[in-house]
Amino acid sequence: MGICFGTAAQIDDTGAGQGFGSRIAVAPGHAQQGSKDANSGKLNDDSEVSVDGQPNLKSFTFDDLRHATKSFSSDGLIGEGGFGFVFKGWINEHNLAPSKPGSGMVVAVKKLKAHSFQGHREWLTELRFLGKLHHENLVKLIGYCSESENRLLVYEFMPKGSLENHLFKRGVQPMDWATRMQVAVDVARGLSFLHSLDANVIYRDLKPSNILIDSKFHAKLSDFGLARKGPTGDGSHVSTRVVGTLGYAAPEYLARGHLSPRSDVYSFGVVLLELLSGKRAQGDETIRGSLVDWAKPLIRDSRHFSRVMDTRLRGEYYKKSVQAVSFLALQCLNNDPQDRPSMSEVLFELQQIKPIKNLP
C-alpha cells in the first residue's frame, strides 16, 4: 500500500488455529492510547477494564481449566500466537465444571504467556467486549480465569477451524463458491452489528485467521483483543495507535492513525478478494505485490477478470455472482473512507447476490 512502517514496527507470529494471527505493533509517530502509565503501571484510556462485573461469564479457576485441557496437553493444542496458546478442552454443559476428555461440551481455551503486557491488555479488551456483546456471528465467550499471573479465556469450540485454513492450507478441500458467499454474508452481518448504534465497536483486525467456521460452515468473528469503541457525536473517526495486520489495514489508518467503521469496511474488501482469488492479502508467492494492488486492475478490465478467480473452483460459479462480489470489493477498497459503503449497505448488497444461477 506504499506505507513504510519504519524499523520500530514489529510483526507477531502467525497462528494457524483458533484466535491468533500476525499483527502490526505500534508504529512510530502515532498516539499510543491505552499504553502503560510509567508511574502507576496501569493501563490508560479505553484499554483498562476490570474483570469484575461480568455476570454473563463463568469465572473459572486455573485448576478447572488445567483439568479441562488435560494439563494443557500438547495433543490438544489447536492454535498458537505471539501472546499465547489455544487448547481444546471439555466442560459440563450444565454447570460448566471441567469434565473428562471426550465427554461434555467441547471448548477452546486461550492461555496467555506469562509477563506479556500487550497480551494482558488484549485479554482485558476481549473480556470487556465479548462479555457484553452477543450475536450469532460473534464467537461466544463462555468464561475467563484471572488467578495470580494466569490469564485465560474460554470460548465455544468452532469445529471447522479458521477461514485461513480453508482458503490457504494445502491438502484442505477448497470451499465451493456458495459456501464462500455464505461466509461473506455471515462476516458482513457480524460487522454490521458491531457498527450499529447500540454497539458502536470497531473490530480493527479482520482477516481469515480471525474468522472461525462452525459445523454448518457458518462464520463467526473471533479475537476482539484490538477492538475499540467507535467515534461518538459528530466525530468521523478516532485517532489511535496503529495496530492490526499487514495487507488488511485501511490506508488512512496506516498513514494518520484515523480509525473508523469504514476502516473495517476496507478490511472486509480485502477478505472478499481472498474469497474470490484464494490468494493471501500479503506475501502470496503467485503474485507480485499485495493482493489489492494486483487484483484491482484485473477486476476493472473485463478481459482479464477471470485471472482473479481461484482456479480450485474450476469455474464452478455463477459469473454474474462473482462479478457483483468483485465490484462490491472495489467499493469497499476505495482510498477515501467516505467513498466506501457502510457495512449495513454491504450486507444488503451481498444478500441480493445469488451464489448460483438456479436460486430463486
Side-chain angles (χ1 to χ4, degrees):
M1 277 174 271
I3 301 296
C4 178
F5 288 89
T7 56
Q10 301 292 325
I11 304 297
D12 292 336
D13 296 331
T14 299
Q18 184 157 335
F20 283 115
S22 60
R23 287 180 177 155
I24 308 163
V26 179
H30 290 292
Q32 298 185 30
Q33 296 182 15
S35 59
K36 192 172 183 180
D37 187 308
N39 297 318
S40 67
K42 294 182 179 180
L43 294 173
N44 295 325
D45 191 43
D46 64 347
S47 295
E48 185 169 11
V49 62
S50 170
V51 297
D52 298 326
Q54 297 289 350
N56 298 322
L57 300 177
K58 163 77 171 177
S59 176
F60 291 93
T61 67
F62 185 74
D63 274 348
D64 284 341
L65 299 182
R66 184 169 57 82
H67 290 306
T69 59
K70 295 192 297 184
S71 298
F72 304 103
S73 167
S74 59
D75 294 340
L77 182 66
I78 56 177
E80 181 177 353
F83 301 136
F85 306 89
V86 184
F87 297 89
K88 191 174 185 178
W90 288 265
I91 61 176
N92 184 291
E93 59 185 319
H94 301 294
N95 60 17
L96 304 184
S99 61
K100 293 181 180 179
S103 65
M105 179 172 65
V106 185
V107 293
V109 180
K110 184 189 290 188
K111 183 176 184 288
L112 266 65
K113 295 176 181 176
H115 311 300
S116 170
F117 171 71
Q118 178 67 17
H120 176 71
R121 178 166 59 189
E122 294 190 15
W123 179 87
L124 288 170
T125 301
E126 185 150 26
L127 180 61
R128 179 179 67 172
F129 283 119
L130 282 184
K132 296 177 180 177
L133 297 173
H134 304 282
H135 188 269
E136 61 182 333
N137 297 116
L138 306 185
V139 167
K140 181 181 179 181
L141 180 62
I142 297 170
Y144 65 93
C145 171
S146 176
E147 187 176 299
S148 185
E149 294 182 348
N150 297 305
R151 299 290 182 271
L152 301 95
L153 294 171
V154 181
Y155 311 83
E156 65 173 316
F157 179 72
M158 300 292 281
K160 297 297 184 181
S162 72
L163 177 61
E164 179 182 48
N165 286 342
H166 289 278
L167 288 181
F168 310 127
K169 190 174 181 179
R170 291 181 179 177
V172 175
Q173 180 73 21
M175 283 180 167
D176 61 28
W177 178 244
T179 303
R180 297 186 197 204
M181 278 292 296
Q182 176 177 289
V183 167
V185 170
D186 287 340
V187 173
R189 190 181 289 116
L191 288 175
S192 183
F193 165 74
L194 292 178
H195 295 174
S196 66
L197 291 177
D198 290 338
N200 188 28
V201 172
I202 303 172
Y203 184 51
R204 199 162 41 159
D205 201 21
L206 184 67
K207 57 186 175 182
S209 62
N210 284 345
I211 299 169
L212 302 184
I213 311 297
D214 69 12
S215 59
K216 296 182 179 180
F217 280 91
H218 282 288
K220 301 187 182 187
L221 300 177
S222 71
D223 197 343
F224 279 67
L226 298 185
R228 65 160 295 161
K229 295 294 286 185
T232 57
D234 296 330
S236 62
H237 64 270
V238 291
S239 295
T240 184
R241 62 196 180 102
V242 177
V243 293
T245 305
L246 283 170
Y248 300 91
E252 73 280 359
Y253 180 47
L254 294 175
R256 299 183 295 278
H258 289 182
L259 184 71
S260 73
R262 303 295 168 112
S263 306
D264 283 344
V265 174
Y266 184 94
S267 302
F268 183 77
V270 179
V271 172
L272 284 183
L273 290 185
E274 292 181 308
L275 288 167
L276 287 160
S277 68
K279 300 181 187 299
R280 291 183 180 273
Q282 197 79 19
D284 194 291
E285 296 178 354
T286 64
I287 60 175
R288 181 177 297 178
S290 72
L291 177 59
V292 171
D293 291 341
W294 174 80
K296 272 186 172 183
L298 296 176
I299 293 173
R300 291 185 179 124
D301 187 341
S302 59
R303 296 171 301 173
H304 301 296
F305 171 80
S306 61
R307 290 177 55 193
V308 173
M309 295 305 299
D310 190 343
T311 56
R312 294 173 301 169
L313 290 170
R314 298 180 298 179
E316 296 174 358
Y317 48 78
Y318 185 27
K319 187 176 180 180
K320 288 185 178 180
S321 169
V322 297
Q323 287 180 326
V325 172
S326 66
F327 292 143
L328 183 58
L330 289 186
Q331 294 178 54
C332 294
L333 295 168
N334 272 313
N335 285 331
D336 188 337
Q338 298 305 313
D339 291 336
R340 297 171 203 151
S342 67
M343 277 312 308
S344 60
E345 292 170 331
V346 171
L347 174 60
F348 177 80
E349 291 298 326
L350 282 171
Q351 290 172 326
Q352 308 311 305
I353 300 172
K354 299 176 183 178
I356 54 179
K357 191 172 185 178
N358 60 351
L359 281 181

